[in-house]
């Protein structure tokens, strides 16, 4: 009887979560092998007392003067779809087209008009990184944390053992939509039961650098570009995020950590990625996935282009672990996913404060 009740609870929660997320309910895949050099060269002195993650700058980088540009594995248009309550997203990671790309679980380019949003929902086992391109978003969780992400700001949220929160757009006076990117990143297995954590990064904190006679402008959100380091201790899983804008006639050769998975998502204009006969011109709203081999990405915009090329370049340390995902629960085994559903339903093991909680910002969607 106890097994039957548990199964019924899982089924009920699974049905509820399938409404929240358009992600295919359950899948299992093997990630690429972990870059062992990264862990082998980390010492305890590289950690602060309260930061549990790995440093964003690898202890070993390619010091050679000869860089090896990465080839393009594939490039594809991110199709628009509905998500949450009335939101529109272009999802390019977390679909059948691109799913096995550790440590990345999902990338949404979202546009949320007044009256839409992402009301109360749970997470366990991953990190979410939200980058506001225009407009602003309010967030609130069951622990009493709340705030607003403005244009150019980012929020790094570590769900860890469990969190329940809401993400709702500001109502802009001109009625315009709030636009941004949200990236889901897997957590190393040993950190999936850590306490939830936030780190807001304000636009004013982000260092910037120019190159190629000011034809290239890079916001160094996380990682390193042209000798400029980002703010440290943002996400627990090491991820580089660079916002790159290239004027017509400009070119950039951006170094990346060896062995990390990398992609570019094009926000506007057309950009040519690669060199020589392998160069490929890619338009707006495309995900450009690079091969692991190589230590840099080359991009340029032709002299006769009508507008700048604008994209985000993102790289992450691949994790040597299995991933089982059901909507917002990302664990390593099917049993752990079932347990997450039970914990959420019974308000235990990290979800105690979810009992009876309703966000203030989400009540407008009730």
């Amino acid at each position: 009887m106890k097994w039957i009740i548990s199964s019924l609870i899982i089924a009920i929660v699974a049905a509820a979560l399938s409404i929240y997320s358009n992600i295919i309910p359950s899948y299992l895949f093997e990630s690429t092998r972990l870059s062992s050099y990264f862990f082998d060269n980390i010492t305890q002195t590289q950690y602060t007392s309260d930061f549990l993650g790995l440093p964003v700058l690898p202890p070993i980088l390619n010091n050679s003067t000869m860089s090896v540009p990465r080839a393009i594995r594939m490039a594809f248009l991110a199709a628009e779809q509905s998500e949450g309550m009335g939101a529109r997203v272009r999802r390019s990671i977390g679909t059948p087209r691109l799913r096995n790309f550790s440590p990345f679980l999902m990338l949404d380019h979202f546009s949320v008009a007044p009256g839409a949003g992402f009301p109360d929902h749970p997470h366990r086992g991953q990190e979410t990184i939200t980058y506001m391109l225009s407009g602003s978003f309010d967030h609130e969780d069951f622990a009493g944390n709340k705030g607003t992400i403005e244009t150019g700001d980012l929020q790094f949220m570590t769900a860890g053992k469990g969190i329940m929160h809401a993400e709702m757009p500001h109502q802009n006076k001109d009625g315009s939509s709030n636009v941004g990117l949200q990236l889901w990143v897997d957590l190393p297995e040993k950190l999936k039961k850590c306490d939830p954590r936030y780190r807001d990064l304000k636009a004013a904190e982000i260092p910037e650098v120019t190159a190629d006679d000011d034809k290239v402008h890079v916001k160094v959100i996380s990682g390193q570009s042209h000798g400029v380091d980002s703010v440290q201790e943002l996400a627990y899983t090491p991820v580089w995020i660079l916002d790159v804008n290239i004027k017509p006639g400009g070119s950039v050769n951006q170094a990346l950590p060896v062995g990390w998975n990398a992609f570019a998502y094009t926000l506007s204009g057309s950009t040519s990625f690669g060199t020589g006969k392998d160069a490929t011109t890619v338009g707006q709203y495309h995900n450009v996935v690079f091969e692991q081999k190589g230590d840099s990405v080359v991009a340029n915009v032709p002299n006769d282009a009508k507008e700048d090329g604008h994209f985000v370049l993102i790289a992450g340390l691949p994790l040597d672990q299995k991933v089982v995902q059901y909507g917002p629960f990302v664990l390593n085994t099917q049993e752990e996913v079932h347990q997450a559903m039970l914990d959420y339903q019974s308000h235990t093991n990290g979800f105690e404060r979810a009992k009876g909680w309703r966000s203030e910002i989400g009540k407008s969607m009730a």
Side-chain angles (χ1 to χ4, degrees):
M1 179 63 69
K2 182 177 180 181
W3 179 85
I4 295 174
I5 293 173
S6 297
S7 298
L8 287 172
I9 292 174
I10 291 173
I12 292 169
V13 177
L17 290 175
S18 67
I19 295 173
Y20 161 70
S21 177
N22 285 333
I23 298 174
I24 293 176
S26 181
Y27 54 82
L28 177 66
F29 61 78
E30 291 279 359
S31 70
T32 50
R33 303 301 296 176
L34 180 65
S35 300
S36 61
Y37 73 88
F38 192 80
F39 286 104
D40 292 343
N41 291 275
I42 291 174
T43 64
Q44 190 62 35
T45 59
Q46 291 173 291
Y47 295 84
T48 62
S49 58
D50 59 350
F51 184 74
L52 303 178
L54 299 171
V56 72
L57 298 178
I60 295 179
L61 290 170
N62 183 11
N63 295 319
S64 171
T65 57
M66 297 292 293
S67 65
V68 179
R70 294 191 182 206
I72 294 176
R73 175 176 146 193
M74 62 176 167
F76 60 94
L77 178 68
E80 192 174 40
Q81 65 184 60
S82 297
E83 178 69 8
M85 297 290 288
R88 302 293 296 176
V89 305
R90 291 182 179 274
R91 179 167 296 162
S92 58
I93 299 178
T95 68
R97 189 69 181 270
L98 181 59
R99 182 175 296 157
N100 186 353
F101 201 51
S102 178
F104 307 116
L105 302 166
M106 187 186 81
L107 176 68
D108 278 355
H109 183 190
F110 61 82
S111 178
V112 186
F118 305 95
D120 305 358
H121 58 274
H123 289 276
R124 174 180 278 183
Q126 82 272 52
E127 298 185 284
T128 65
I129 302 171
T130 306
Y131 181 23
M132 289 306 304
L133 300 172
S134 64
S136 55
F137 247 75
D138 294 326
H139 64 91
E140 180 185 351
D141 73 14
F142 66 7
N145 299 304
K146 60 178 64 177
T148 300
I149 315 170
E150 306 283 358
T151 299
D153 295 347
L154 291 96
Q155 181 192 79
F156 294 76
M157 185 196 78
T158 305
K161 63 185 179 182
I163 199 164
M164 189 171 181
H165 73 158
E167 301 159 290
M168 301 298 293
H170 263 207
Q171 306 303 309
N172 300 324
K173 293 181 180 179
D174 61 359
S176 61
S177 294
N178 299 271
V179 180
L181 299 172
Q182 187 168 89
L183 178 70
W184 287 20
V185 182
D186 197 14
L187 274 172
E189 183 177 5
K190 67 178 182 179
L191 294 179
K192 286 187 177 289
K193 294 183 180 180
C194 70
D195 291 331
R197 169 185 177 271
Y198 289 96
R199 172 58 164 98
D200 287 354
L201 181 67
K202 298 299 183 182
E205 296 180 83
I206 300 173
E208 302 181 15
V209 63
T210 58
D212 195 15
D213 295 327
D214 293 334
K215 293 179 182 178
V216 175
H217 182 266
V218 182
K219 294 180 182 179
V220 190
I221 295 170
S222 180
Q224 184 184 83
S225 181
H226 297 80
V228 175
D229 293 350
S230 70
V231 173
Q232 303 296 300
E233 299 183 355
L234 297 171
Y236 280 174
T237 300
V239 173
W240 281 26
I241 305 173
L242 306 170
D243 184 322
V244 183
N245 191 86
I246 306 177
K247 296 178 181 179
S251 178
V252 65
N253 187 339
Q254 173 61 49
L256 292 178
V258 175
W260 286 24
N261 281 329
F263 67 92
Y265 180 77
T266 56
L267 294 167
S268 62
S270 293
T271 303
S272 177
F273 294 94
T275 60
K277 63 180 178 60
D278 295 324
T280 301
T281 299
V282 181
Q284 188 180 34
Y285 304 145
H286 281 68
N287 192 310
V288 184
V289 183
F290 300 101
E291 297 286 0
Q292 247 186 10
K293 183 180 179 181
D295 57 16
S296 69
V297 164
V298 175
N300 69 82
V301 174
N303 278 306
D304 58 355
K306 302 299 184 182
E307 59 181 320
D308 296 358
H310 184 199
F311 60 92
V312 288
L313 180 60
I314 300 177
L317 177 72
L319 302 176
D320 180 19
Q321 60 189 36
K322 293 181 179 180
V323 174
V324 180
Q325 179 174 350
Y326 197 109
F329 299 147
V330 185
L331 287 308
N332 302 112
T333 67
Q334 196 70 46
E335 291 73 22
E336 289 173 334
V337 169
H338 290 165
Q339 186 62 51
M341 294 177 184
L342 288 172
D343 291 342
Y344 175 59
Q345 179 69 16
S346 60
H347 311 118
T348 57
N349 298 322
F351 288 108
E352 289 83 357
R353 288 174 288 190
K355 185 176 183 179
W357 179 80
R358 288 181 63 197
S359 69
E360 291 298 320
I361 63 174
K363 287 180 179 178
S364 61
M365 302 294 294

